[in-house]
Amino acid sequence: MALTSGTRLGAYEVLALIGAGGMGEVYRARDTKLNRDVALKVLPEAFALDADRLARFQREAQVLASLNHPNIAAVYGLEESSQAIAIVMELVEGPTLADKVKVGPVPIDEALPIARQIADALEAAHEKGVVHRDLKPANVKVTPEGQVKVLDFGLAKAFTADAADPNLTNSPTMSLAATRAGMILGTAAYMSPEQARGKTVDKRTDIWAFGCVLYEMLAGTRAFEGDEITDILAAVVRAEPNWGLLPAETPPAIRRLLRRCLEKDRKERVPDIAVARIEIKEALTTPAEITGSVPATSPKDAATASGRWLWSLAGVAAVFAIAAATFATLYLRTEPVVPPVVRFQVSPVKGSFIVAGNGPRMEISPDGTQLAFVAATNDGTADQLWLRRMDATEISPLPGTEGAVNPFWSPDSRSIAFFTGAQLKRIDLSGGPPRLVTTDPGGVEAAGVSTGTWNRDGTIVFSSTGIRGLHQVPSNGGTPAQVTTLDRSRSETGHYWPRFLPDGRHFLYWVNSTQPGNRGIMLGSLDSKDTRLIVASDFAAGFAPPNHLLFRRGSTLFAQTFNLESFQLEGEAVRVADPVGAATTLARPGFSTSDTGVLVVWPVASATAAGDTELAIYDRTGKKLTSLGTSQYRGFDVSPDGTRVATHLHEASGGGDIWLLDLERGTRPRFTFDALQDNSSPVWSNDGSRIAFASLRAGMWGLYQKPADGTGQEELLFESSTPKSPSAYSPDGKSLLFENVDPKTRNDLWLLPLEGDKKPVAYLRSPFFEGYGQISPNGRWVAYQSNESGQRNEIYVRSLSNLTGKWQVSIAGGTTPRWRHDGKELFFGFNQRVFAVDVEAAGDGLRFGAPKVLFESAYRNPGHDTPSLPYAVSGDGQHFFIPTAPSISASADIPLTITLNWTSALRK
């Protein structure tokens, strides 16, 4: 049904019709709760009874909700009523790109920045596995500030879309064929050849449409014209654009890019939109005089002169490597194009990828083309090795490998070694039965923990039962020789999971110890008995050429540069995947890497990490904006500028350190460096220069501070035998409010001067619990939590200086207050709900509004010794950092996640 001005859909009041598209009508509406204008995309009444179209419309909301990018129009929610169903979307002001092109060609210096932003939006969607499928100028808006917003991802589908429909009239782009032929003509002009033929589409369809849009901006006319749909589709399939219409000043690189985007054969087309983004960026920054010239000739001539794309059946990883290299050659690059990151999943077959207590049982080959894994035999009576090529969907059993566990590859990817019982065996993929390499020198069945690595000299280093350290043996068989010896002074109990480094002489391994602080990743050598601790860790590490060490903290996989000359870690650790599974510390790590940039991850949280939480950012409506990863977060605070989060990451073995989550760069540098000290409860100073934290050292609880940039030494502020934690700096940075646990008065609030005698004084000390104190931005008031009512915790505010003036802010319960940075709003939580209270000055006191529920939160407090702040709010009060239960739980049916060119993400 058509909606008229004044119609109400929930909290939204319709103001006017903006336009209509193939999947719905769009109205301007007023959000009466938040006092802002929004766009309501409403499903036409004619489609409401069509179950398929209705499902597609609801799916549009889910797709949009997963896309969080400045160049993609945001979705706020889904509103359903008896009158209509509508997606509540960001209202984007400004003309569409179609409006701009109607005036004439868009100047190059304006068109290229627009195209780059479109490419950015598509790249973000493609990384989420989403294809737009209906990109055209009418679906692109340009705000008065020049920002691009791509609209209408409602026609998008995941890469694993349903089978192609040969009936073109069933295409979503043809939804309103009966009434909107003009619209269909417009849509058809941007269809890719495979889309026009009704074939299955993928992200290369968007790349075609992107080429059409860029051509139209520059030429001022569509790349493919026609009076009827059939004429347009025929041109799409057979004709070439009029390249002579491009402006003479069009950079040669952009001409070549357009031709590659508009290749009829999608195998010959630009393989990833990131390539287009990079080309445009370089065209905007490279002087025209050094780019040469390219005549406006046929793309076939250019292709013949430059060479064709080469596609190999040696595996998906090889395909992308060849594509990247060929593209670099094609464009005469002095630097190679960064290959795109591609992710997909492989589901369990023939049983599970995991076995109870031992984690995933799989290994990617060094060349990245094959996956070896352990699963049940066809009759289900035992486990055996199976093989899956990355360019195939079938799996093949390896006869004679019954009882196999923990496979590892030869460096040439032609053989697989594995353990069965107390024996180490190998099987060559060229044929023949498995051969015995050696028997475990431990003399017992150690298959559950026996692991190995193989170098190019034909030497295998493997772990025994652990009591004798690591051993080496020739890959063709022989008597094992001991390589490492347990260090009893460190209470070591075993050496496991060796991994050769590129020189084939040094290797990494994981050492277990009854002293948690001595567990970690070690460096060993075939040529020396000397060993070195690389990094403390409760789990084994991996290595990926050329120089990345991969290790697990909590449930998150990190990568960090590893200098192969000094054998030291450099730079900052970068999050790679989350969550990453491992059933126990002795179990196989939940990831595997090839030498060619393939990463395999078992995305299951650790079964032993009962305290794991997922830290995510939510907006004021409770919409989840992004996840910061899963780990044992125990207290955190956001920097005043909103760019970093300081958090205590608890170790499974006890204790923990403080880490800084850099929200802009995606890195996670460490802030403290001794987990045994249990460094916790970080709090930022108001100017962002310092971080205060608590630490338990030699039985004494202390308050410390340290420069936030990591330079300088830790400063002990105060210590005593009772647990304590910082709550807030005063705005002038001259004092610190902290909590102290007193056996007589429970939890109290104290003030610690940071100048003068630095002797703490009690601020609130009573038989009740007073905690989570937060000083107002003007330094006059303290908001805190107390159970003084005798019924439940409530939020109170009182003067910082003289205790005169006191208000109860919450009405029916409240915990953990947080001020907005202008002091005009106070937030608190209760019963998994987030509340906001308006605050205004009233003479010498304050006036508080009624508490308002912002959203429901599945907040999870994992428990801790000191009352760290369990959630955080950005200074403007728009973003909430909340820990919840991990969204993925351990299951034998969880598929593996395969990432190609994963190191490309580290370069961004």
Side-chain angles (χ1 to χ4, degrees):
M1 61 175 287
L3 301 181
T4 58
S5 178
T7 301
R8 291 289 293 265
L9 292 182
Y12 306 98
E13 180 181 351
V14 174
L15 300 178
L17 177 67
I18 298 176
M23 280 300 298
E25 296 171 335
V26 183
Y27 295 84
R28 177 187 287 267
R30 186 67 176 171
D31 183 341
T32 59
K33 285 186 176 180
L34 299 179
N35 293 324
R36 63 180 177 183
D37 285 356
V38 299
L40 293 181
K41 186 170 184 180
V42 180
L43 186 67
E45 186 176 13
F47 287 0
L49 299 179
D50 187 322
D52 178 64
R53 288 187 170 114
L54 180 60
R56 186 187 305 141
F57 186 77
Q58 293 171 328
R59 189 162 61 246
E60 177 177 358
Q62 297 171 353
V63 170
L64 276 169
S66 72
L67 303 177
N68 178 29
H69 191 273
N71 296 125
I72 297 176
V75 60
Y76 298 140
L78 186 65
E79 187 69 29
E80 299 185 54
S81 71
S82 58
Q83 294 176 292
I85 302 176
I87 296 177
V88 185
M89 301 168 56
E90 174 185 4
L91 180 65
V92 183
E93 305 289 358
T96 67
L97 195 52
D99 296 329
K100 295 178 73 69
V101 174
K102 285 179 183 178
V103 180
V106 180
I108 289 178
D109 59 353
E110 182 181 350
L112 293 186
I114 291 174
R116 185 170 66 177
Q117 293 181 69
I118 296 172
D120 276 333
L122 292 176
E123 185 176 6
H126 292 173
E127 288 180 351
K128 289 276 190 177
V130 175
V131 182
H132 191 295
R133 297 212 316 164
D134 196 27
L135 179 67
K136 54 189 176 184
N139 280 339
V140 178
K141 278 210 168 190
V142 184
T143 70
E145 296 76 26
Q147 183 179 20
V148 167
K149 291 281 187 177
V150 180
L151 313 175
D152 203 356
F153 271 84
L155 306 175
K157 287 193 174 184
F159 289 147
T160 54
D162 52 357
D165 188 342
N167 184 357
L168 191 59
T169 61
N170 289 335
S171 169
T173 59
M174 300 296 185
S175 299
L176 300 180
T179 60
R180 296 178 183 160
M183 179 186 302
I184 298 168
L185 286 171
T187 296
Y190 307 94
M191 283 186 174
S192 63
E194 60 269 21
Q195 196 173 11
R197 291 187 172 102
K199 294 183 178 181
T200 301
V201 302
D202 58 21
K203 64 181 181 180
R204 288 170 291 183
T205 282
D206 282 353
I207 293 171
W208 171 280
F210 173 82
C212 292
V213 171
L214 178 54
Y215 176 94
E216 188 169 337
M217 278 197 290
L218 297 176
T221 186
R222 290 174 181 166
F224 304 98
E225 294 278 16
D227 296 328
E228 303 288 342
I229 294 176
T230 52
D231 297 333
I232 295 175
L233 296 181
V236 167
V237 173
R238 298 186 180 88
E240 288 289 335
N242 186 346
W243 302 108
L245 295 180
L246 292 174
E249 63 271 23
T250 302
I254 298 302
R255 292 180 182 271
R256 288 193 293 267
L257 174 64
L258 281 169
R259 289 170 175 146
R260 302 309 299 176
C261 288
L262 296 178
E263 277 284 357
K264 309 292 186 186
D265 185 350
R266 59 181 168 183
K267 293 182 180 179
E268 303 289 332
R269 203 174 300 157
V270 170
D272 194 277
I273 194 65
V275 174
R277 174 180 57 78
I278 294 170
E279 284 295 323
I280 294 171
K281 178 181 178 181
E282 293 192 359
L284 287 168
T285 57
T286 302
E289 61 268 19
I290 67 172
T291 59
S293 60
V294 175
T297 56
S298 164
K300 299 300 181 183
D301 297 336
T304 301
S306 302
R308 288 292 184 181
W309 294 86
L310 303 177
W311 295 92
S312 169
L313 296 179
V316 177
V319 168
F320 277 91
I322 293 172
T326 307
F327 194 88
T329 301
L330 180 65
Y331 288 96
L332 304 178
R333 282 280 168 270
T334 58
E335 296 181 0
V337 174
V338 177
V341 176
V342 179
R343 294 183 179 88
F344 57 94
Q345 292 186 323
V346 175
S347 298
V349 285
K350 305 303 296 180
S352 169
F353 281 133
I354 65 173
V355 63
N358 285 326
R361 306 171 295 175
M362 51 74 191
E363 185 83 3
I364 189 71
S365 60
D367 63 9
T369 65
Q370 301 174 89
L371 182 68
F373 63 93
V374 178
T377 57
N378 283 320
D379 59 10
T381 59
D383 288 336
Q384 71 176 115
L385 282 182
W386 295 76
L387 198 64
R388 171 174 176 161
R389 292 188 57 84
M390 301 298 284
D391 60 353
T393 58
E394 299 80 12
I395 61 172
S396 304
L398 295 179
T401 60
E402 290 78 11
V405 294
N406 296 337
F408 59 96
W409 289 84
S410 62
D412 60 6
S413 302
R414 297 178 181 178
S415 303
I416 303 172
F418 60 94
F419 296 89
T420 175
Q423 295 182 324
L424 171 61
K425 298 181 179 181
R426 63 175 284 182
I427 185 169
D428 301 326
L429 301 186
S430 58
R435 291 181 284 157
L436 177 66
V437 176
T438 192
T439 299
D440 189 322
V444 299
E445 288 197 2
V449 295
S450 292
T451 56
T453 184
W454 193 333
N455 72 7
R456 295 189 180 278
D457 296 329
T459 298
I460 290 176
V461 170
F462 67 99
S463 60
S464 176
T465 57
I467 59 174
R468 297 186 182 181
L470 300 178
H471 290 71
Q472 65 172 315
V473 66
S475 59
N476 288 325
T479 301
Q482 193 157 346
V483 178
T484 65
T485 305
L486 303 187
D487 186 345
R488 299 302 184 186
S489 67
R490 291 170 42 87
S491 302
E492 293 180 359
T493 59
H495 296 168
Y496 304 99
W497 300 107
R499 176 70 159 86
F500 270 118
L501 295 176
D503 64 7
R505 307 305 296 174
H506 292 88
F507 53 87
L508 302 170
Y509 64 99
W510 182 73
V511 58
N512 193 17
S513 172
T514 58
Q515 297 181 14
N518 289 335
R519 295 175 183 168
I521 300 160
M522 304 289 290
L523 175 73
S525 172
L526 296 179
D527 304 316
S528 170
K529 297 298 182 182
D530 294 337
T531 61
R532 179 191 301 182
L533 177 66
I534 302 300
V535 62
S537 177
D538 281 335
F539 299 94
F543 180 85
N547 59 349
H548 289 109
L549 184 75
L550 293 98
F551 58 94
R552 189 172 178 264
R553 289 252 181 232
S555 297
T556 303
L557 181 65
F558 292 92
Q560 191 167 357
T561 300
F562 185 56
N563 189 314
L564 293 176
E565 294 183 359
S566 65
F567 298 111
Q568 293 181 339
L569 291 172
E570 297 178 345
E572 298 176 348
V574 180
R575 187 178 68 170
V576 174
D578 182 74
V580 174
T584 68
T585 56
L586 289 178
R588 175 177 191 82
F591 64 93
S592 175
T593 59
S594 75
D595 295 343
T596 56
V598 180
L599 172 67
V600 183
V601 167
W602 179 52
V604 181
S606 168
T608 62
D612 274 5
T613 57
E614 178 187 18
L615 178 57
I617 304 177
Y618 299 82
D619 65 13
R620 290 177 66 98
T621 68
K623 175 185 175 183
K624 182 178 177 180
L625 302 178
T626 187
S627 173
L628 300 181
T630 300
S631 192
Q632 293 203 21
Y633 299 103
R634 302 208 177 168
F636 36 86
D637 199 20
V638 181
S639 62
D641 63 5
T643 63
R644 292 182 291 173
V645 177
T647 179
H648 165 63
L649 295 184
H650 190 70
E651 297 283 357
S653 55
D657 269 312
I658 294 171
W659 297 67
L660 302 184
L661 314 184
D662 192 314
L663 305 182
E664 292 183 334
R665 295 186 294 165
T667 59
R668 185 173 295 203
R670 198 171 185 169
F671 187 70
T672 62
F673 295 88
D674 192 342
L676 287 182
Q677 295 174 345
D678 198 12
N679 302 299
S680 62
S681 309
V683 172
W684 290 85
S685 63
N686 290 48
D687 63 2
S689 66
R690 292 169 289 168
I691 296 176
F693 59 95
S695 186
L696 176 61
R697 305 183 183 184
M700 297 291 284
W701 282 96
L703 297 176
Y704 294 79
Q705 71 174 0
K706 180 180 176 181
D709 61 6
T711 62
Q713 298 297 315
E714 299 174 351
E715 177 187 359
L716 174 63
L717 302 175
F718 173 66
E719 70 175 352
S720 67
S721 60
T722 55
K724 55 184 55 65
S725 64
S727 290
Y729 279 93
S730 61
D732 60 10
K734 295 181 179 180
S735 58
L736 182 69
L737 186 67
F738 69 95
E739 300 180 31
N740 188 72
V741 179
D742 189 302
K744 296 180 180 179
T745 59
R746 303 184 63 187
N747 205 81
D748 304 315
L749 288 175
W750 289 66
L751 270 172
L752 175 67
L754 300 181
E755 298 178 347
D757 61 8
K758 298 184 181 180
K759 292 183 178 180
V761 294
Y763 171 71
L764 277 177
R765 192 179 188 191
S766 75
F768 305 109
F769 176 100
E770 293 102 3
Y772 301 104
Q774 294 285 284
I775 302 176
S776 64
N778 64 9
R780 294 187 58 191
W781 315 103
V782 174
Y784 63 97
Q785 167 189 328
S786 175
N787 61 356
E788 66 180 76
S789 68
Q791 296 180 341
R792 55 180 168 256
N793 286 307
E794 300 283 1
I795 301 300
Y796 299 87
V797 172
R798 66 192 307 163
S799 169
L800 175 64
S801 60
N802 54 29
L803 299 186
T804 59
K806 175 181 175 182
W807 299 267
Q808 180 178 327
V809 177
S810 59
I811 297 174
T815 62
T816 58
R818 288 280 199 172
W819 293 95
R820 199 169 74 188
H821 279 192
D822 60 5
K824 295 182 178 180
E825 199 169 23
L826 187 65
F827 306 99
F828 64 89
F830 193 70
N831 284 348
Q832 295 193 332
R833 290 183 294 175
V834 177
F835 292 82
V837 176
D838 292 329
V839 183
E840 62 180 31
D844 291 333
L846 297 172
R847 182 181 294 116
F848 298 91
K852 300 174 294 186
V853 177
L854 294 183
F855 56 90
E856 299 280 342
S857 168
Y859 162 71
R860 175 182 180 183
N861 188 342
H864 34 69
D865 297 329
T866 57
S868 309
L869 293 166
Y871 75 102
V873 185
S874 63
D876 59 5
Q878 299 300 309
H879 298 105
F880 295 78
F881 299 74
I882 298 176
T884 60
S887 56
I888 300 179
S889 59
S891 168
D893 298 325
I894 295 292
L896 300 176
T897 298
I898 314 292
T899 304
L900 310 180
N901 307 315
W902 69 271
T903 56
S904 293
L906 303 180
R907 308 182 196 180
K908 294 183 179 180

